[in-house]
Amino acid sequence: SQQGEEDPQALSIQEGENATMNCSYKTSINNLQWYRQNSGRGLVHLILIRSNEREKHSGRLRVTLDTSKKSSSLLITASRAADTASYFCATGFQGAQKLVFGQGTRLTINP
Amino acid sequence: DAGVIQSPRHEVTEMGQEVTLRCKPISGHNSLFWYRQTMMRGLELLIYFNNNVPIDDSGMPEDRFSAKMPNASFSTLKIQPSEPRDSAVYFCASSLFTTDTQYFGPGTRLTVL
């Protein structure tokens, strides 16, 4: 399967701590994207990182990409209760004309 | 821009009835995607269009499902006849091109009794 796989499936931390989620994939990609989904809502795009990039930042979010290991990580620093959501990675595989979404990581921030 | 618009937001119907879900993509976007999300199966891509042409419908579960995009500003997903196992949240998303950032609508929560 080309599907990216997130790890862990669920993560529960205390407010203020950092949260790290990982995504692994199997074939070469053009880009990798991270999305957030709050309960009952549509997915919201967070960050896109291209295959020739190694790290990107957006506010409290940091995404890294290691194409040699075929993996990416999403770091949320100084977590807040509002960060409670499911986080999905989506990969744009070379030769494919669509994104493939993983199963997501369910993040819970405890106050 | 209003974002991706989906209607209805909620649909409750009885088994055997026809269901039509509607989507208006963001103006200027060339690609449109239909997804289904359930607890058991997660997020599944059903079909996607590029420039109003269906590119990949391999995710459509059965012949009971059909999708159309008659113009750049409107798409429908039809289920006929509906079955209880079709109960899910159906999302529409659009993007400038097929592997670019996708913008999701709020979804239609379908319940088939």
Side-chain angles (χ1 to χ4, degrees), chain A residues 23-26 65-72:
Chain A
C23 174
S24 60
Y25 56 91
K26 295 181 179 178
L65 179 64
D66 187 334
T67 53
S68 66
K69 295 182 179 178
K70 292 186 171 56
S71 68
S72 174

Side-chain angles (χ1 to χ4, degrees), chain A residues 91-111:
Chain A
T91 41
F93 292 101
Q94 290 182 5
Q97 293 300 312
K98 61 184 179 181
L99 294 180
V100 179
F101 284 82
Q103 292 300 304
T105 292
R106 191 169 56 255
L107 174 65
T108 302
I109 309 298
N110 302 304

Side-chain angles (χ1 to χ4, degrees), chain A residues 96-99, chain B residues 4 23-35 45 47-56 69 71-75 91-105:
Chain A
Q97 293 300 312
K98 61 184 179 181
L99 294 180
Chain B
V4 175
C23 175
K24 177 179 170 55
I26 292 173
S27 177
H29 282 187
N30 297 313
S31 300
L32 183 140
F33 306 80
W34 282 102
Y35 293 90
L45 175 64
I47 184 172
Y48 71 98
F49 297 82
N50 195 45
N51 295 321
N52 311 339
V53 176
I55 302 301
D56 184 350
M69 192 164 186
N71 56 61
S73 59
F74 184 66
S75 176
F91 290 103
C92 174
S94 70
S95 63
L96 281 173
F97 53 89
T98 55
T99 56
D100 196 16
T101 298
Q102 292 187 14
Y103 295 84
F104 282 72

Side-chain angles (χ1 to χ4, degrees), chain B residues 54-74:
Chain B
I55 302 301
D56 184 350
D57 65 355
S58 61
M60 298 285 261
E62 301 170 31
D63 292 344
R64 298 184 297 106
F65 286 69
S66 62
K68 294 182 179 179
M69 192 164 186
N71 56 61
S73 59
F74 184 66

